PDB file of all heavy atoms in Angstrom:
ATOM      1  N   SER A   1      96.632 103.810 107.918  1.00 76.00           N
ATOM      2  CA  SER A   1      96.490 102.630 106.963  1.00 76.00           C
ATOM      3  C   SER A   1      96.483 103.076 105.517  1.00 76.00           C
ATOM      4  O   SER A   1      96.635 102.230 104.664  1.00 76.00           O
ATOM      5  CB  SER A   1      95.225 101.813 107.286  1.00 76.00           C
ATOM      6  OG  SER A   1      94.116 102.614 106.967  1.00 76.00           O
ATOM      7  N   ARG A   2      96.279 104.366 105.260  1.00 80.00           N
ATOM      8  CA  ARG A   2      96.126 104.853 103.861  1.00 80.00           C
ATOM      9  C   ARG A   2      97.489 104.538 103.105  1.00 80.00           C
ATOM     10  O   ARG A   2      97.422 104.206 101.906  1.00 80.00           O
ATOM     11  CB  ARG A   2      95.838 106.396 103.902  1.00 80.00           C
ATOM     12  CG  ARG A   2      94.357 106.612 104.265  1.00 80.00           C
ATOM     13  CD  ARG A   2      93.970 108.057 104.179  1.00 80.00           C
ATOM     14  NE  ARG A   2      92.628 108.266 104.588  1.00 80.00           N
ATOM     15  CZ  ARG A   2      91.527 108.076 103.811  1.00 80.00           C
ATOM     16  NH1 ARG A   2      91.745 107.557 102.679  1.00 80.00           N
ATOM     17  NH2 ARG A   2      90.300 108.276 104.521  1.00 80.00           N
ATOM     18  N   PRO A   3      98.594 104.878 103.628  1.00 84.00           N
ATOM     19  CA  PRO A   3      99.855 104.661 102.905  1.00 84.00           C
ATOM     20  C   PRO A   3     100.062 103.115 102.566  1.00 84.00           C
ATOM     21  O   PRO A   3     100.447 102.736 101.544  1.00 84.00           O
ATOM     22  CB  PRO A   3     101.041 105.108 103.744  1.00 84.00           C
ATOM     23  CG  PRO A   3     100.351 106.223 104.725  1.00 84.00           C
ATOM     24  CD  PRO A   3      99.012 105.701 104.851  1.00 84.00           C
ATOM     25  N   LEU A   4      99.661 102.285 103.535  1.00 85.00           N
ATOM     26  CA  LEU A   4      99.633 100.865 103.215  1.00 85.00           C
ATOM     27  C   LEU A   4      98.781 100.472 102.222  1.00 85.00           C
ATOM     28  O   LEU A   4      99.083  99.609 101.409  1.00 85.00           O
ATOM     29  CB  LEU A   4      99.374 100.057 104.631  1.00 85.00           C
ATOM     30  CG  LEU A   4      99.557  98.532 104.645  1.00 85.00           C
ATOM     31  CD1 LEU A   4     100.929  98.145 104.191  1.00 85.00           C
ATOM     32  CD2 LEU A   4      99.097  97.921 105.908  1.00 85.00           C
ATOM     33  N   VAL A   5      97.526 100.888 102.170  1.00 85.00           N
ATOM     34  CA  VAL A   5      96.598 100.645 101.013  1.00 85.00           C
ATOM     35  C   VAL A   5      97.131 101.095  99.773  1.00 85.00           C
ATOM     36  O   VAL A   5      97.005 100.433  98.709  1.00 85.00           O
ATOM     37  CB  VAL A   5      95.263 101.352 101.355  1.00 85.00           C
ATOM     38  CG1 VAL A   5      94.342 101.281 100.139  1.00 85.00           C
ATOM     39  CG2 VAL A   5      94.609 100.706 102.595  1.00 85.00           C
ATOM     40  N   ALA A   6      97.814 102.345  99.730  1.00 87.00           N
ATOM     41  CA  ALA A   6      98.454 102.854  98.456  1.00 87.00           C
ATOM     42  C   ALA A   6      99.348 101.829  97.980  1.00 87.00           C
ATOM     43  O   ALA A   6      99.540 101.506  96.774  1.00 87.00           O
ATOM     44  CB  ALA A   6      98.972 104.183  98.652  1.00 87.00           C
ATOM     45  N   ILE A   7     100.287 101.235  98.763  1.00 89.00           N
ATOM     46  CA  ILE A   7     101.387 100.395  98.466  1.00 89.00           C
ATOM     47  C   ILE A   7     100.718  99.095  97.943  1.00 89.00           C
ATOM     48  O   ILE A   7     101.246  98.422  96.955  1.00 89.00           O
ATOM     49  CB  ILE A   7     102.229 100.013  99.727  1.00 89.00           C
ATOM     50  CG1 ILE A   7     103.024 101.286 100.032  1.00 89.00           C
ATOM     51  CG2 ILE A   7     103.243  98.822  99.368  1.00 89.00           C
ATOM     52  CD1 ILE A   7     103.778 101.034 101.319  1.00 89.00           C
ATOM     53  N   TRP A   8      99.684  98.591  98.509  1.00 90.00           N
ATOM     54  CA  TRP A   8      98.978  97.352  98.004  1.00 90.00           C
ATOM     55  C   TRP A   8      98.594  97.467  96.522  1.00 90.00           C
ATOM     56  O   TRP A   8      98.690  96.588  95.849  1.00 90.00           O
ATOM     57  CB  TRP A   8      97.708  97.180  98.882  1.00 90.00           C
ATOM     58  CG  TRP A   8      97.984  96.663 100.260  1.00 90.00           C
ATOM     59  CD1 TRP A   8      99.157  96.240 100.790  1.00 90.00           C
ATOM     60  CD2 TRP A   8      97.006  96.512 101.322  1.00 90.00           C
ATOM     61  NE1 TRP A   8      98.954  95.849 102.194  1.00 90.00           N
ATOM     62  CE2 TRP A   8      97.695  96.018 102.352  1.00 90.00           C
ATOM     63  CE3 TRP A   8      95.628  96.785 101.494  1.00 90.00           C
ATOM     64  CZ2 TRP A   8      97.109  95.669 103.638  1.00 90.00           C
ATOM     65  CZ3 TRP A   8      94.937  96.523 102.730  1.00 90.00           C
ATOM     66  CH2 TRP A   8      95.702  96.035 103.761  1.00 90.00           C
ATOM     67  N   PHE A   9      97.988  98.675  96.317  1.00 92.00           N
ATOM     68  CA  PHE A   9      97.465  98.847  94.863  1.00 92.00           C
ATOM     69  C   PHE A   9      98.590  99.234  93.927  1.00 92.00           C
ATOM     70  O   PHE A   9      98.435  99.181  92.758  1.00 92.00           O
ATOM     71  CB  PHE A   9      96.347  99.864  94.845  1.00 92.00           C
ATOM     72  CG  PHE A   9      95.052  99.298  95.282  1.00 92.00           C
ATOM     73  CD1 PHE A   9      94.702  99.426  96.830  1.00 92.00           C
ATOM     74  CD2 PHE A   9      94.197  98.719  94.522  1.00 92.00           C
ATOM     75  CE1 PHE A   9      93.446  98.936  97.234  1.00 92.00           C
ATOM     76  CE2 PHE A   9      92.934  98.210  94.901  1.00 92.00           C
ATOM     77  CZ  PHE A   9      92.634  98.480  96.277  1.00 92.00           C
ATOM     78  N   THR A  10      99.661  99.742  94.550  1.00 93.00           N
ATOM     79  CA  THR A  10     100.813 100.031  93.603  1.00 93.00           C
ATOM     80  C   THR A  10     101.535  98.803  92.927  1.00 93.00           C
ATOM     81  O   THR A  10     101.841  98.851  91.856  1.00 93.00           O
ATOM     82  CB  THR A  10     101.899 100.831  94.391  1.00 93.00           C
ATOM     83  OG1 THR A  10     101.376 101.919  94.904  1.00 93.00           O
ATOM     84  CG2 THR A  10     103.207 101.119  93.502  1.00 93.00           C
ATOM     85  N   LEU A  11     101.462  97.619  93.712  1.00 93.00           N
ATOM     86  CA  LEU A  11     101.959  96.415  93.204  1.00 93.00           C
ATOM     87  C   LEU A  11     101.331  95.985  91.850  1.00 93.00           C
ATOM     88  O   LEU A  11     102.092  95.669  90.845  1.00 93.00           O
ATOM     89  CB  LEU A  11     102.030  95.424  94.251  1.00 93.00           C
ATOM     90  CG  LEU A  11     102.880  95.706  95.413  1.00 93.00           C
ATOM     91  CD1 LEU A  11     102.769  94.559  96.518  1.00 93.00           C
ATOM     92  CD2 LEU A  11     104.214  95.860  95.071  1.00 93.00           C
ATOM     93  N   PRO A  12     100.004  95.735  91.811  1.00 94.00           N
ATOM     94  CA  PRO A  12      99.362  95.346  90.602  1.00 94.00           C
ATOM     95  C   PRO A  12      99.483  96.420  89.384  1.00 94.00           C
ATOM     96  O   PRO A  12      99.646  96.108  88.235  1.00 94.00           O
ATOM     97  CB  PRO A  12      97.891  95.184  90.797  1.00 94.00           C
ATOM     98  CG  PRO A  12      97.645  95.890  92.053  1.00 94.00           C
ATOM     99  CD  PRO A  12      98.990  95.797  92.889  1.00 94.00           C
ATOM    100  N   LEU A  13      99.638  97.638  89.855  1.00 94.00           N
ATOM    101  CA  LEU A  13      99.842  98.745  88.879  1.00 94.00           C
ATOM    102  C   LEU A  13     101.256  98.654  88.339  1.00 94.00           C
ATOM    103  O   LEU A  13     101.348  98.750  86.984  1.00 94.00           O
ATOM    104  CB  LEU A  13      99.680 100.066  89.493  1.00 94.00           C
ATOM    105  CG  LEU A  13      99.896 101.266  88.529  1.00 94.00           C
ATOM    106  CD1 LEU A  13      98.791 101.282  87.366  1.00 94.00           C
ATOM    107  CD2 LEU A  13      99.813 102.601  89.334  1.00 94.00           C
ATOM    108  N   ILE A  14     102.312  98.332  89.172  1.00 94.00           N
ATOM    109  CA  ILE A  14     103.566  98.195  88.549  1.00 94.00           C
ATOM    110  C   ILE A  14     103.567  96.860  87.571  1.00 94.00           C
ATOM    111  O   ILE A  14     104.290  96.988  86.582  1.00 94.00           O
ATOM    112  CB  ILE A  14     104.680  97.972  89.773  1.00 94.00           C
ATOM    113  CG1 ILE A  14     104.788  99.311  90.460  1.00 94.00           C
ATOM    114  CG2 ILE A  14     105.971  97.524  89.195  1.00 94.00           C
ATOM    115  CD1 ILE A  14     105.562  99.101  91.736  1.00 94.00           C
ATOM    116  N   LEU A  15     102.834  95.937  87.923  1.00 94.00           N
ATOM    117  CA  LEU A  15     102.800  94.553  87.092  1.00 94.00           C
ATOM    118  C   LEU A  15     102.341  94.981  85.710  1.00 94.00           C
ATOM    119  O   LEU A  15     102.994  94.653  84.638  1.00 94.00           O
ATOM    120  CB  LEU A  15     101.994  93.670  87.682  1.00 94.00           C
ATOM    121  CG  LEU A  15     101.676  92.301  86.848  1.00 94.00           C
ATOM    122  CD1 LEU A  15     102.960  91.536  86.634  1.00 94.00           C
ATOM    123  CD2 LEU A  15     100.780  91.469  87.581  1.00 94.00           C
ATOM    124  N   THR A  16     101.126  95.714  85.697  1.00 95.00           N
ATOM    125  CA  THR A  16     100.611  96.050  84.297  1.00 95.00           C
ATOM    126  C   THR A  16     101.494  96.907  83.578  1.00 95.00           C
ATOM    127  O   THR A  16     101.733  96.806  82.345  1.00 95.00           O
ATOM    128  CB  THR A  16      99.346  96.682  84.469  1.00 95.00           C
ATOM    129  OG1 THR A  16      99.295  97.826  85.363  1.00 95.00           O
ATOM    130  CG2 THR A  16      98.220  95.651  85.162  1.00 95.00           C
ATOM    131  N   LEU A  17     102.037  98.056  84.204  1.00 94.00           N
ATOM    132  CA  LEU A  17     102.952  98.993  83.429  1.00 94.00           C
ATOM    133  C   LEU A  17     104.215  98.263  82.999  1.00 94.00           C
ATOM    134  O   LEU A  17     104.693  98.591  81.887  1.00 94.00           O
ATOM    135  CB  LEU A  17     103.194 100.120  84.269  1.00 94.00           C
ATOM    136  CG  LEU A  17     102.058 101.095  84.658  1.00 94.00           C
ATOM    137  CD1 LEU A  17     102.455 102.210  85.710  1.00 94.00           C
ATOM    138  CD2 LEU A  17     101.278 101.636  83.375  1.00 94.00           C
ATOM    139  N   SER A  18     104.812  97.421  83.819  1.00 94.00           N
ATOM    140  CA  SER A  18     106.112  96.692  83.390  1.00 94.00           C
ATOM    141  C   SER A  18     105.747  95.738  82.191  1.00 94.00           C
ATOM    142  O   SER A  18     106.562  95.657  81.268  1.00 94.00           O
ATOM    143  CB  SER A  18     106.449  95.949  84.636  1.00 94.00           C
ATOM    144  OG  SER A  18     106.807  96.667  85.653  1.00 94.00           O
ATOM    145  N   CYS A  19     104.523  95.209  82.307  1.00 91.00           N
ATOM    146  CA  CYS A  19     104.160  94.224  81.087  1.00 91.00           C
ATOM    147  C   CYS A  19     104.004  95.037  79.859  1.00 91.00           C
ATOM    148  O   CYS A  19     104.414  94.556  78.741  1.00 91.00           O
ATOM    149  CB  CYS A  19     102.915  93.501  81.561  1.00 91.00           C
ATOM    150  SG  CYS A  19     102.531  92.105  80.529  1.00 91.00           S
ATOM    151  N   LEU A  20     103.347  96.263  79.908  1.00 90.00           N
ATOM    152  CA  LEU A  20     103.213  96.958  78.712  1.00 90.00           C
ATOM    153  C   LEU A  20     104.649  97.493  78.302  1.00 90.00           C
ATOM    154  O   LEU A  20     104.878  97.454  76.912  1.00 90.00           O
ATOM    155  CB  LEU A  20     102.362  98.271  79.075  1.00 90.00           C
ATOM    156  CG  LEU A  20     100.896  98.005  79.244  1.00 90.00           C
ATOM    157  CD1 LEU A  20     100.241  99.346  79.696  1.00 90.00           C
ATOM    158  CD2 LEU A  20     100.286  97.522  77.973  1.00 90.00           C
ATOM    159  N   ALA A  21     105.627  97.865  79.078  1.00 89.00           N
ATOM    160  CA  ALA A  21     106.889  98.386  78.774  1.00 89.00           C
ATOM    161  C   ALA A  21     107.567  97.197  78.004  1.00 89.00           C
ATOM    162  O   ALA A  21     108.253  97.384  76.971  1.00 89.00           O
ATOM    163  CB  ALA A  21     107.620  98.780  79.905  1.00 89.00           C
ATOM    164  N   ILE A  22     107.434  96.040  78.581  1.00 86.00           N
ATOM    165  CA  ILE A  22     108.315  94.855  77.980  1.00 86.00           C
ATOM    166  C   ILE A  22     107.701  94.562  76.646  1.00 86.00           C
ATOM    167  O   ILE A  22     108.422  94.227  75.671  1.00 86.00           O
ATOM    168  CB  ILE A  22     108.187  93.648  78.906  1.00 86.00           C
ATOM    169  CG1 ILE A  22     108.970  93.905  80.253  1.00 86.00           C
ATOM    170  CG2 ILE A  22     108.791  92.440  78.187  1.00 86.00           C
ATOM    171  CD1 ILE A  22     108.836  92.887  81.295  1.00 86.00           C
ATOM    172  N   ALA A  23     106.363  94.625  76.515  1.00 81.00           N
ATOM    173  CA  ALA A  23     105.824  94.235  75.228  1.00 81.00           C
ATOM    174  C   ALA A  23     106.198  95.267  74.162  1.00 81.00           C
ATOM    175  O   ALA A  23     106.350  94.942  72.907  1.00 81.00           O
ATOM    176  CB  ALA A  23     104.184  94.258  75.376  1.00 81.00           C
ATOM    177  N   ARG A  24     106.284  96.498  74.548  1.00 79.00           N
ATOM    178  CA  ARG A  24     106.669  97.510  73.568  1.00 79.00           C
ATOM    179  C   ARG A  24     108.019  97.313  73.108  1.00 79.00           C
ATOM    180  O   ARG A  24     108.377  97.679  71.932  1.00 79.00           O
ATOM    181  CB  ARG A  24     106.615  98.952  74.223  1.00 79.00           C
ATOM    182  CG  ARG A  24     106.758 100.117  73.253  1.00 79.00           C
ATOM    183  CD  ARG A  24     106.547 101.479  74.062  1.00 79.00           C
ATOM    184  NE  ARG A  24     106.776 102.582  73.079  1.00 79.00           N
ATOM    185  CZ  ARG A  24     105.962 103.072  72.297  1.00 79.00           C
ATOM    186  NH1 ARG A  24     104.575 102.446  72.222  1.00 79.00           N
ATOM    187  NH2 ARG A  24     106.097 104.045  71.440  1.00 79.00           N
ATOM    188  N   ILE A  25     108.957  96.817  73.906  1.00 76.00           N
ATOM    189  CA  ILE A  25     110.315  96.604  73.539  1.00 76.00           C
ATOM    190  C   ILE A  25     110.546  95.290  72.783  1.00 76.00           C
ATOM    191  O   ILE A  25     111.156  95.204  71.802  1.00 76.00           O
ATOM    192  CB  ILE A  25     111.305  96.602  74.723  1.00 76.00           C
ATOM    193  CG1 ILE A  25     111.231  97.973  75.451  1.00 76.00           C
ATOM    194  CG2 ILE A  25     112.686  96.305  74.438  1.00 76.00           C
ATOM    195  CD1 ILE A  25     111.887  98.069  76.683  1.00 76.00           C
ATOM    196  N   GLU A  26     109.884  94.175  73.333  1.00 66.00           N
ATOM    197  CA  GLU A  26     110.236  92.913  72.788  1.00 66.00           C
ATOM    198  C   GLU A  26     109.326  92.380  71.744  1.00 66.00           C
ATOM    199  O   GLU A  26     109.749  91.589  70.981  1.00 66.00           O
ATOM    200  CB  GLU A  26     110.181  91.896  74.024  1.00 66.00           C
ATOM    201  CG  GLU A  26     111.047  91.974  75.030  1.00 66.00           C
ATOM    202  CD  GLU A  26     112.521  91.896  74.614  1.00 66.00           C
ATOM    203  OE1 GLU A  26     112.742  91.112  73.691  1.00 66.00           O
ATOM    204  OE2 GLU A  26     113.452  92.421  75.306  1.00 66.00           O
ATOM    205  N   VAL A  27     108.029  92.759  71.625  1.00 62.00           N
ATOM    206  CA  VAL A  27     107.189  92.318  70.656  1.00 62.00           C
ATOM    207  C   VAL A  27     107.522  92.856  69.256  1.00 62.00           C
ATOM    208  O   VAL A  27     107.777  94.045  69.067  1.00 62.00           O
ATOM    209  CB  VAL A  27     105.773  92.605  70.855  1.00 62.00           C
ATOM    210  CG1 VAL A  27     104.894  92.167  69.738  1.00 62.00           C
ATOM    211  CG2 VAL A  27     105.299  91.911  72.209  1.00 62.00           C
ATOM    212  N   HIS A  28     107.653  91.851  68.203  1.00 55.00           N
ATOM    213  CA  HIS A  28     108.161  92.312  66.916  1.00 55.00           C
ATOM    214  C   HIS A  28     107.296  93.393  66.237  1.00 55.00           C
ATOM    215  O   HIS A  28     105.964  93.403  66.390  1.00 55.00           O
ATOM    216  CB  HIS A  28     108.093  91.117  65.905  1.00 55.00           C
ATOM    217  CG  HIS A  28     109.159  90.155  66.159  1.00 55.00           C
ATOM    218  ND1 HIS A  28     110.535  90.580  66.048  1.00 55.00           N
ATOM    219  CD2 HIS A  28     109.208  88.858  66.435  1.00 55.00           C
ATOM    220  CE1 HIS A  28     111.333  89.528  66.360  1.00 55.00           C
ATOM    221  NE2 HIS A  28     110.502  88.565  66.580  1.00 55.00           N
ATOM    222  N   PRO A  29     107.763  94.444  65.632  1.00 54.00           N
ATOM    223  CA  PRO A  29     107.016  95.452  64.972  1.00 54.00           C
ATOM    224  C   PRO A  29     106.344  95.035  63.732  1.00 54.00           C
ATOM    225  O   PRO A  29     106.655  95.418  62.752  1.00 54.00           O
ATOM    226  CB  PRO A  29     108.038  96.575  64.830  1.00 54.00           C
ATOM    227  CG  PRO A  29     109.271  95.789  64.624  1.00 54.00           C
ATOM    228  CD  PRO A  29     109.211  94.724  65.487  1.00 54.00           C
ATOM    229  N   TYR A  30     105.387  94.145  63.768  1.00 52.00           N
ATOM    230  CA  TYR A  30     104.661  93.557  62.657  1.00 52.00           C
ATOM    231  C   TYR A  30     104.000  94.623  61.839  1.00 52.00           C
ATOM    232  O   TYR A  30     103.426  95.579  62.353  1.00 52.00           O
ATOM    233  CB  TYR A  30     103.784  92.510  62.957  1.00 52.00           C
ATOM    234  CG  TYR A  30     104.355  91.231  63.461  1.00 52.00           C
ATOM    235  CD1 TYR A  30     104.158  90.844  64.884  1.00 52.00           C
ATOM    236  CD2 TYR A  30     105.256  90.449  62.758  1.00 52.00           C
ATOM    237  CE1 TYR A  30     104.657  89.724  65.240  1.00 52.00           C
ATOM    238  CE2 TYR A  30     105.805  89.315  63.234  1.00 52.00           C
ATOM    239  CZ  TYR A  30     105.573  88.908  64.413  1.00 52.00           C
ATOM    240  OH  TYR A  30     106.104  87.797  65.023  1.00 52.00           O
TER     241      TYR A  30
END
């Protein structure tokens, strides 16, 4: 079950990292 648990927690981690990457590209450099 350990690989399955790792996959479960990888999904919210991908969400946060993707959000940070998009913000770095899209948000105006005020």
Side-chain angles (χ1 to χ4, degrees):
S1 65
R2 291 186 182 276
L4 183 59
V5 172
I7 293 175
W8 288 350
F9 283 91
T10 299
L11 295 177
L13 181 62
I14 292 175
L15 173 63
T16 54
L17 295 180
S18 300
C19 196
L20 288 173
I22 294 173
R24 185 176 183 84
I25 296 172
E26 295 295 334
V27 176
H28 285 302
Y30 292 115

